[in-house]
């Protein structure tokens, strides 16, 4: 695998500060909190965000007809939401979140799936920006309407049937980002009605093992984490997690070490564990 460059995926706080007023640049606050955290991402955005940043709520820019959380919407709906935020697919888009790298990875992936050409993540997120004493802004931000031409890359998104086939055939490899106890089925799932366990045949790389202080670890450490979990980096991979958020962290980490063509299971364990006809496994390493 060819080794990508840092700048293919991330910008520094210094770079963003120097380019913040560029006419073709838009900054997105993609903060997402887990359901059990009891925090309101939008209210925290209003209380303080990078100047000019708009808020991207993955639970609202989603398929609102689905019972599953933050599933990808169709292209026309996405176009309308991006137009309202003042985002075009050819703009330079910088995504950050308050925790460093969580919601930002999901928003980064979503924008790319719909055809955004130049999307990068602020390394260290809002925490790094604040730590350096850089300016903040309160309240909502309104940008002029823009035209976003959305083309959903369906080949880069897996549904339950594709994952079931992979589970039965052993290819592509299925890699789960949840913590080990959840993967093994030792803890109750945070969403009611969802069984505990994992997709049969899947491997476990907890996303936190790939992070250090809200940033991705060094490439050699990322490779080691996947290889130690039994992942063959030369073969196809589907990433999954609880609801398709931290699966994007795995996908980002894999791309950062040169792995291309990684597919994300959008419904993830919330769908799989909630459907009684789909098989589960427990207590596997």
């Amino acid at each position: 695998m060819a080794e990508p460059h840092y700048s293919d995926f991330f910008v520094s706080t210094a770079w963003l500060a120097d380019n913040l007023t560029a006419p073709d640049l838009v900054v997105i606050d993609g903060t997402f909190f887990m359901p059990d955290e009891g925090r309101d991402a939008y209210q925290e955005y209003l209380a303080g965000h990078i100047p000019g940043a708009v808020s991207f709520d993955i639970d609202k820019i989603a398929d609102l007809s689905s019972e599953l959380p933050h599933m990808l919407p169709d292209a026309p709906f996405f176009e309308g939401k991006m137009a309202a935020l003042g985002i075009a697919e050819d703009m330079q888009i910088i995504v950050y979140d308050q925790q460093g790298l969580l919601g930002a990875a999901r928003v980064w992936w979503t924008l790319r799936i719909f055809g955004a050409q130049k999307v990068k993540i602020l390394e260290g997120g809002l925490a790094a920006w604040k730590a350096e004493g850089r300016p903040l802004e309160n309240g909502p931000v309104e940008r002029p309407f823009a035209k976003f031409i959305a083309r959903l890359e369906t080949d880069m998104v897996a549904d339950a049937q594709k994952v079931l086939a992979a589970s039965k055939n052993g290819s592509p490899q299925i890699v789960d980002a949840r913590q080990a106890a959840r993967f093994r089925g030792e803890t109750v799932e945070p969403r009611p009605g969802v069984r505990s366990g994992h997709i049969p045949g899947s491997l476990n790389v907890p996303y936190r093992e790939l992070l250090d202080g809200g940033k991705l670890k060094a490439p050699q450490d990322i490779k080691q984490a996947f290889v130690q979990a039994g992942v063959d980096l030369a073969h196809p991979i589907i990433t999954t997690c609880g609801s398709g958020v931290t699966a994007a962290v795995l996908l980002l980490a894999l791309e950062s070490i040169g792995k291309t063509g990684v597919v994300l299971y959008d419904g993830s364990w919330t769908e799989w564990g909630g459907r009684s006809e789909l098989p589960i496994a427990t207590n596997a390493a």
Side-chain angles (χ1 to χ4, degrees):
M1 296 183 296
E3 197 76 35
H5 193 270
Y6 161 95
S7 62
D8 293 337
F9 303 95
F10 298 98
V11 299
S12 67
T13 51
W15 184 94
L16 183 56
D18 289 343
N19 292 274
L20 197 55
T21 59
D24 64 338
L25 182 139
V26 58
V27 182
I28 294 176
D29 185 317
T31 300
F32 169 80
F33 295 116
M34 296 295 186
D36 58 355
E37 291 185 84
R39 297 174 65 178
D40 187 319
Y42 186 65
Q43 290 302 316
E44 295 194 25
Y45 159 81
L46 293 177
H49 54 78
I50 292 175
V54 294
S55 174
F56 188 121
D57 186 337
I58 64 171
D59 285 317
K60 293 181 178 178
I61 304 176
D63 180 359
L64 303 181
S65 68
S66 175
E67 295 181 354
L68 299 172
H70 38 256
M71 293 288 286
L72 290 174
D74 60 26
F77 182 87
F78 190 79
E79 286 182 347
K81 289 294 187 181
M82 293 303 98
L85 289 177
I87 301 171
E89 81 283 353
D90 58 352
M91 288 179 173
Q92 175 66 73
I93 304 171
I94 308 300
V95 186
Y96 75 87
D97 67 43
Q98 296 188 33
Q99 302 185 84
L101 191 60
L102 184 62
R106 172 72 188 200
V107 175
W108 166 85
W109 174 77
T110 300
L111 287 161
R112 292 166 70 245
I113 285 291
F114 278 105
Q117 302 163 17
K118 297 177 289 185
V119 190
K120 296 181 181 180
I121 295 172
L122 177 64
E123 187 172 48
L126 189 63
W129 185 269
K130 285 181 174 180
E132 295 167 1
R134 299 190 185 275
L136 295 175
E137 181 179 55
N138 299 327
V141 170
E142 292 188 7
R143 292 173 48 85
F145 273 65
K147 185 175 182 180
F148 191 110
I149 300 174
R151 299 180 180 88
L152 179 58
E153 298 288 344
T154 55
D155 290 346
M156 304 307 293
V157 186
D159 60 14
Q161 288 307 115
K162 185 171 185 176
V163 176
L164 180 61
S167 174
K168 291 178 178 178
N169 299 331
S171 180
Q173 301 164 100
I174 304 166
V175 186
D176 193 321
R178 294 177 299 154
Q179 295 307 297
R182 287 181 66 189
F183 179 81
R184 293 193 295 261
E186 296 170 353
T187 59
V188 176
E189 282 294 306
R191 290 181 171 87
V194 177
R195 298 170 295 168
S196 297
H198 60 266
I199 299 165
S202 60
L203 303 167
N204 186 213
V205 179
Y207 80 97
R208 290 191 178 97
E209 294 184 4
L210 306 176
L211 304 180
D212 183 9
K215 302 177 182 180
L216 282 182
K217 289 183 176 179
Q220 62 269 23
D221 295 327
I222 292 172
K223 289 178 183 177
Q224 183 179 18
F226 281 100
V227 171
Q228 285 185 340
V231 179
D232 186 338
L233 294 172
H235 290 153
I237 294 172
I238 297 172
T239 65
T240 183
C241 61
S243 64
V245 175
T246 59
V249 177
L250 260 58
L251 187 147
L252 171 64
L254 286 162
E255 288 203 8
S256 78
I257 59 171
K259 180 65 178 172
T260 59
V262 182
V263 177
L264 188 148
Y265 175 23
D266 199 17
S268 282
W269 190 253
T270 301
E271 177 179 35
W272 193 280
R275 289 176 54 178
S276 60
E277 77 277 14
L278 293 173
I280 65 171
T282 58
N283 300 321

